[in-house]
Amino acid sequence: LDLNDVFLVPTPELSPESAESEMFGFDLGRRLAHMSARPTALVAWDERLASRFILGFISEGGRVPQDLSVMTYNNSLYAATASMPMTAVGVAPKIYADATLALMREGFQAYDKKEAYHKQLMLKPRLSPRQSTGAVPLNICIPGRHDVTKS
């Protein structure tokens, strides 16, 4: 399997001068909408980028999730409440909040007793499916391979 068939590798025609640009996601979405051989899904590193990408993709006639699924990390409240709620991988905000409050309470109790306090937590991420992802499009074309039709 050639990774170039699976991952969208930034190229001069897809990358603006700076990925930090406010228009980066929007421009990338617009450009991807016009690609004949594009991926079936995009994973963005944050919700703001994913949201801008979706707006750009839709502005050029792309459909999410019918043509392209979009997901993101963090699973913040923004992912759940965006104009198109986004599928996300991450720890739910309530779990972060509950863990933070518990650690603060324990830390203050240790401080009051003049005890050293150190605790490390591992919070498990979970997948939160929402409206930005769906089934793989019926007809997909992977460069260098035959068209695949889903039954």
Side-chain angles (χ1 to χ4, degrees):
L1 177 65
D2 182 354
L3 292 181
N4 289 321
D5 291 345
V6 179
F7 297 101
L8 179 65
V9 179
T11 59
E13 68 270 8
L14 289 177
S15 300
E17 290 182 15
S18 168
E20 300 301 316
S21 163
E22 288 293 314
M23 294 301 291
F24 175 69
F26 187 82
D27 290 342
L28 183 61
R30 290 179 57 211
R31 292 175 184 158
L32 212 62
H34 293 286
M35 290 176 65
S36 58
R38 65 174 167 249
T40 58
L42 176 108
V43 179
W45 61 78
D46 72 23
E47 290 88 352
R48 289 181 4 199
L49 177 67
S51 182
R52 289 185 195 120
F53 175 88
I54 289 170
L55 289 173
F57 190 72
I58 290 172
S59 76
E60 295 296 317
R63 299 170 306 156
V64 174
Q66 297 89 339
D67 298 329
L68 183 77
S69 289
V70 178
M71 69 179 287
T72 185
Y73 294 108
N74 300 334
N75 200 19
S76 72
L77 186 59
Y78 182 79
T81 60
S83 58
M84 172 175 284
M86 291 176 272
T87 295
V89 173
V91 177
K94 182 173 179 359
I95 293 172
Y96 267 129
D98 290 347
T100 300
L101 290 174
L103 287 172
M104 289 176 66
R105 190 172 24 257
E106 291 171 14
F108 287 134
Q109 289 170 352
Y111 178 80
D112 289 342
K113 295 177 186 175
K114 301 196 181 340
E115 296 173 350
Y117 178 77
H118 173 78
K119 186 173 185 179
Q120 184 175 358
L121 290 182
M122 175 84 68
L123 301 176
K124 292 183 181 180
R126 68 182 181 120
L127 176 65
S128 297
R130 298 190 182 100
Q131 293 174 336
S132 67
T133 55
V136 175
L138 291 178
N139 293 307
I140 62 169
C141 177
I142 299 174
R145 300 183 185 214
H146 300 296
D147 282 351
V148 177
T149 303
K150 184 177 175 190
S151 310

